[in-house]
Amino acid sequence: MYRYFKSHHKPHGGFYLLFMPTYMPVDPELVKYVMQNDFNHFVDRGLYYNEETDPLSAHLFSLDGAKWRNLRVKMTPTFTSGKMKMMFDTLVKCGDQLLTEMNKTVGNTSIDIKDMLARFTTDIIGTVAFGIDCNSLKNPDNEFNRYMKLFFLDGFWDNIIGFITFVTPGIAKKLGLKAVKPPLSKFFMRVVKDTVDYREKNNIHRKDFMHFLLQLKNRGKLDEDGGILKEIGDDKESNLSINELAAQAFVFFLAGYETSSTTMTFCLFELASNPEIQEKLRQEVFEVLKRHDNKLTYDATMEMHYMEKVINETLRKYPPVPGLNRICTKDYKVPGSNIMIKKDTKVWIPVLGLQRDPEFYPDPEKFDPERFSEENKNERHPYTFIPFGEGPRVCIGLRFGMMQTKVGLSILLKNYKFSVSSKTTVPLQLDPRSFIMSTEGGIWLNYTEV
Ligand code: HEM
């Protein structure tokens, strides 16, 4: 659709998603109006959620209006760089486990790299968001993974329910449909309640998301050095309920594990296809680690500037979320035109279209990290690169996503050299059925010790 409107020299266009009119801004300046300048007209995503019958669905990604705004304000301090630093060691520990698993087959066989990295990010988010060791690197068939798979199952009825909840959230709510299947919901609620009970009974103080969520539940605010039990003077009004806490841990999992493992997967594919870029990045990892006593620390990752460019170029070419949605929450006149967008009209933001547009990125299929040098970045409209979204609804986990991607890549590049296996279909075939960008047949890589 993006290319169609663009080839007709239109700054925006419209189409029907079945019977629903959908507006698509094409000009990055109009994208900026929708996401940032006139955000008050486009606050919501218009997704299904039901706090009463389907509590895990009522998370930050799906909530709307004042409910979303209040929660976003409360949750924002959870993602400061100080909090990221606190969680860093947990990520490195999961990285050690990743090495142990990778070492088992090094030099012998090609691996489905997405599968391996998804297990790595599952272990990370299981530890920091749920406070549990899911051990999916060691044991892929663990209970946590088995239940999570339920979420993504796409049998006939799952598809029908998924379709109704996506297209007509209001009807889904009236029909009492559930986005999170009851066995999965039951499992997650139990895991969260067990962790909460254990930590509260023993006043456990850990440096993870669960700890911050517990502070929000019991004390209504975050306190760097504070515990999880209520203290005199704590704000009671804004406390999270146990269901709200569980829903946020759930969305950290949903939004966090696949986006980051997808980014690492495509990045390693491009590095395997471009050995000189791979080597340049490996040299940067070695040099930075040398300055930090050979220890992977938060500060070390912040000095990996070439890595930042390589990850950004990966996110440009393969944005894990290739299209973003909003819904018009009050009538809107599009600036510079007579077009009026009516309340309740869906809006689709063409991330992939913009990021592979030859006008902004000449030779867009070429993987070239130098597109993200300061000079080159400054020459482009900032809304031609929006892999984390933009405006007040921008990804809240951006820092965490970047951090775990950097940890994974540093560990892998320090230890292994990658090349593309003949089992990978090149050029990559994107899977049109997948919401998160992925390929048909997966990405298989060969790897040897450095
Ligand atoms: C490379 C990794 C990641 C990518 C590419 C990514 C991408 C995105 C995108 C495109 C959005 C929608 C933004 C918009 O509509 O403007 C989003 C929202 C969100 N992401 Fe991420 N994400 C990543 C990692 C994470 C992580 C690690 C977490 C949590 C730990 C997370 C939690 C969320 C949440 C809660 C939202 C909803 C925010 C709101 O509506 O207020 N994401 N993400």
Side-chain angles (χ1 to χ4, degrees), residues 381-436:
H381 192 294
Y383 279 68
T384 56
F385 181 64
I386 46 172
F388 291 98
E390 258 305 342
R393 270 206 109 134
V394 66
C395 173
I396 199 169
L398 185 158
R399 278 203 183 103
F400 192 80
M402 284 301 277
M403 180 169 78
Q404 59 180 347
T405 304
K406 283 182 181 172
V407 168
L409 290 176
S410 304
I411 290 176
L412 292 176
L413 289 170
K414 184 177 164 225
N415 290 283
Y416 310 112
K417 283 189 178 174
F418 292 91
S419 60
V420 179
S421 155
S422 54
K423 279 166 89 176
T424 308
T425 312
V426 182
L428 297 178
Q429 304 294 318
L430 296 183
D431 180 353
R433 292 173 303 260
S434 179
F435 175 69
I436 299 281

Side-chain angles (χ1 to χ4, degrees), residues 26-40:
V26 168
D27 179 342
E29 196 55 24
L30 288 181
V31 174
K32 185 175 170 194
Y33 274 106
V34 169
M35 302 187 91
Q36 176 74 54
N37 300 16
D38 294 322
F39 175 75
N40 280 344

Side-chain angles (χ1 to χ4, degrees), residues 213-231:
L213 290 173
L214 268 166
Q215 284 196 329
L216 289 176
K217 172 179 159 296
N218 294 336
R219 311 181 57 180
K221 63 176 184 217
L222 290 186
D223 176 357
E224 290 283 284
D225 311 311
I228 49 171
L229 303 181
K230 199 164 7 196
E231 284 175 17

Side-chain angles (χ1 to χ4, degrees), residues 252-402:
F252 289 173
F253 186 79
L254 288 185
Y257 100 97
E258 206 179 354
T259 44
S260 301
S261 55
T262 296
T263 306
M264 283 184 259
T265 299
F266 282 114
C267 188
L268 285 171
F269 169 76
E270 285 292 348
L271 294 175
S273 313
N274 296 279
E276 65 303 341
I277 300 180
Q278 182 181 158
E279 200 43 45
K280 187 170 171 184
L281 184 53
R282 181 172 297 108
Q283 288 315 315
E284 181 184 71
V285 172
F286 282 142
E287 277 160 29
V288 172
L289 289 182
K290 215 166 148 193
R291 290 202 291 274
H292 289 262
D293 294 333
N294 242 341
K295 275 203 194 97
L296 185 57
T297 60
Y298 180 81
D299 292 337
T301 59
M302 296 314 277
E303 285 175 28
M304 295 179 184
H305 303 299
Y306 188 61
M307 177 164 309
E308 188 101 12
K309 288 192 213 170
V310 169
I311 297 174
N312 281 341
E313 176 64 347
T314 305
L315 288 167
R316 174 195 73 80
K317 206 174 159 190
Y318 309 97
V321 192
L324 299 174
N325 68 317
R326 294 285 188 273
I327 200 151
C328 180
T329 42
K330 50 183 169 167
D331 290 358
Y332 181 66
K333 186 184 158 302
V334 178
S337 81
N338 293 326
I339 302 216
M340 194 75 183
I341 314 273
K342 289 264 169 230
K343 182 175 179 296
D344 295 332
T345 305
K346 285 186 185 278
V347 178
W348 195 256
I349 293 155
V351 180
L352 184 62
L354 285 159
Q355 296 187 174
R356 290 213 195 174
D357 184 335
E359 184 190 333
F360 310 125
Y361 298 97
D363 196 1
E365 302 304 315
K366 185 174 171 203
F367 187 81
D368 178 9
E370 289 314 315
R371 296 183 203 268
F372 288 89
S373 67
E374 284 310 311
E375 308 89 275
N376 289 339
K377 266 194 316 195
N378 290 339
E379 275 171 21
R380 283 189 300 266
H381 192 294
Y383 279 68
T384 56
F385 181 64
I386 46 172
F388 291 98
E390 258 305 342
R393 270 206 109 134
V394 66
C395 173
I396 199 169
L398 185 158
R399 278 203 183 103
F400 192 80
M402 284 301 277

Side-chain angles (χ1 to χ4, degrees), residues 132-144:
I132 58 166
D133 246 339
C134 22
N135 269 334
S136 48
L137 275 165
K138 236 193 249 163
N139 169 23
D141 191 34
N142 65 73
E143 197 186 17
F144 195 85

